[in-house]
Amino acid sequence: MREFPTSDARIVGVIPPDGRGIVPTGERNGNWVFVRYRKVEGWVSRRFVYPEAPPVRRGRSLDPDDAE
């Protein structure tokens, strides 16, 4: 994570390769996105972050009238 959206900017935080819980703020600058990870905010290159897959639902909800 960098202070500004350039590869020369100061590093303000590190997201591990398997980091989860990265929150994009919606701000973008070219190929850079501004994110929050834990308690740190900074710019990351889009090529290093991917949307998390939604949780897999197991089972199904039953209509209360169908449950016995």
Side-chain angles (χ1 to χ4, degrees):
M1 298 172 69
R2 298 197 178 261
E3 185 175 16
F4 301 105
T6 69
S7 57
D8 298 343
R10 180 174 70 93
I11 295 172
V12 295
V14 176
I15 300 171
D18 61 347
R20 300 269 190 252
I22 301 166
V23 180
T25 65
E27 192 173 350
R28 291 186 176 183
N29 186 320
N31 287 326
W32 294 83
V33 291
F34 195 75
V35 300
R36 185 176 310 113
Y37 178 68
R38 300 199 175 167
K39 295 183 180 182
V40 179
E41 291 182 332
W43 292 94
V44 296
S45 175
R46 285 189 323 158
R47 67 183 177 169
F48 295 119
V49 290
Y50 303 94
E52 288 187 35
V56 176
R57 290 187 53 156
R58 301 205 185 270
R60 62 185 176 95
S61 298
L62 296 176
D63 184 48
D65 295 330
D66 292 340
E68 292 183 16

